[in-house]
Amino acid sequence: MSVRSKVLQGINLFLNRVYIPRRILQMERPLVMHISDTPEEIYPYLYKLIKRLKPDYLIHTGDMVDNIKLEIVPMLEPDYHRALEGVINHLESSDIQEIYYVSGNHDQRAKIESLTEKGKVMNDGIIAIENSKFYINHFFVEESPKADYYLYGHSFEPKSHREGEEIRLNGLEAIHVIGLKENNLEKLPYPLGTNGFRKMERNYRAL
């Protein structure tokens, strides 16, 4: 990334505005967008990003309302249901062709399934998009099925890395954009304050 792009990105993040570098906007389609552990405070940012980027596919690797730690504070279930309905309705009103929802430890799979009309809900597994194979899971596990991409969330460890021919991407670190035609990978930062809204420490320790 050029110095100019870094400066523009920093300014726009500070102002909570979406900035997409030209190289990403010019990526050949189809595009896959990967997000994970999304607190509702960043929903407006994600909606604006999706509207501008227009991804063909979206993969969410769990904890869709991550400001509500439902596994720890189940009494917040009504708030979770309200926020979940809003984000699913908004995502599915976009032009995204296919949406995949992975149920996280702070999610309710049955509730996601009851709300979605065009999404595919799963705990983990292999999916094929165009000519690429993805293994998607909320958690990282060492013994996983082989795929071109392994997408996960939940914790900041392990960080994104390559394992042989497989690209493993941690959705907490960044928003990933994958151009399937040439297997291009780009990263976009989450808005400032996202980890605070997630109630996760900056030292990469997750609840």
Side-chain angles (χ1 to χ4, degrees):
M1 182 184 295
S2 68
V3 173
R4 180 177 180 275
S5 291
K6 288 181 179 179
V7 170
L8 287 172
Q9 190 171 75
I11 291 172
N12 282 277
L13 279 174
F14 180 76
L15 298 174
N16 203 29
R17 295 190 309 211
V18 172
Y19 171 71
I20 307 175
R22 184 175 299 177
R23 70 181 186 282
I24 297 179
L25 291 173
Q26 294 177 344
M27 288 173 70
E28 290 198 62
R29 294 182 176 276
L31 299 181
V32 174
M33 179 173 160
H34 168 220
I35 55 177
S36 195
D37 300 76
T38 51
E40 59 183 314
E41 290 89 347
I42 72 168
Y43 290 172
Y45 184 91
L46 293 176
Y47 300 156
K48 288 185 286 186
L49 175 60
I50 289 169
K51 186 176 181 179
R52 288 200 58 199
L53 184 62
K54 296 180 172 60
D56 302 283
Y57 303 91
L58 176 71
I59 299 173
H60 194 305
T61 49
D63 287 355
M64 295 180 62
V65 190
D66 199 36
N67 54 298
I68 298 176
K69 304 300 185 183
L70 200 58
E71 189 177 50
I72 301 171
V73 282
M75 69 285 295
L76 295 180
E77 183 178 287
D79 295 324
Y80 168 81
H81 289 173
R82 171 194 52 76
L84 183 69
E85 181 176 10
V87 69
I88 288 177
N89 287 343
H90 203 107
L91 293 176
E92 298 190 5
S93 67
S94 70
D95 294 328
I96 301 171
Q97 294 179 28
E98 292 182 12
I99 301 176
Y100 297 87
Y101 303 114
V102 176
S103 181
N105 58 304
H106 296 304
D107 283 316
Q108 292 179 340
R109 176 170 177 168
K111 188 62 179 180
I112 300 172
E113 290 175 331
S114 73
L115 291 171
T116 182
E117 293 184 0
K118 62 186 282 189
K120 299 178 181 178
V121 188
M122 54 202 303
N123 291 327
D124 69 283
I126 291 282
I127 60 173
I129 302 179
E130 305 290 332
N131 294 318
S132 295
K133 185 183 293 186
F134 293 78
Y135 175 64
I136 59 177
N137 194 334
H138 180 59
F139 305 98
F140 181 86
V141 292
E142 286 291 347
E143 298 298 325
S144 60
K146 296 301 180 184
D148 300 302
Y149 297 92
Y150 179 178
L151 309 183
Y152 57 97
H154 179 65
S155 172
F156 282 103
E157 296 293 344
K159 298 177 182 179
S160 299
H161 61 287
R162 182 183 289 272
E163 187 77 24
E165 296 299 316
E166 183 179 71
I167 298 174
R168 299 182 171 189
L169 299 175
N170 186 329
L172 271 79
E173 292 178 351
I175 298 164
H176 298 113
V177 182
I178 302 168
L180 293 179
K181 188 170 183 179
E182 298 182 350
N183 287 319
N184 294 337
L185 171 64
E186 294 286 351
K187 297 183 179 183
L188 290 168
Y190 286 102
L192 292 177
T194 295
N195 289 333
F197 299 135
R198 286 170 170 158
K199 300 179 175 64
M200 299 180 73
E201 301 295 334
R202 190 54 215 164
N203 65 0
Y204 291 175
R205 186 184 49 151
L207 288 174

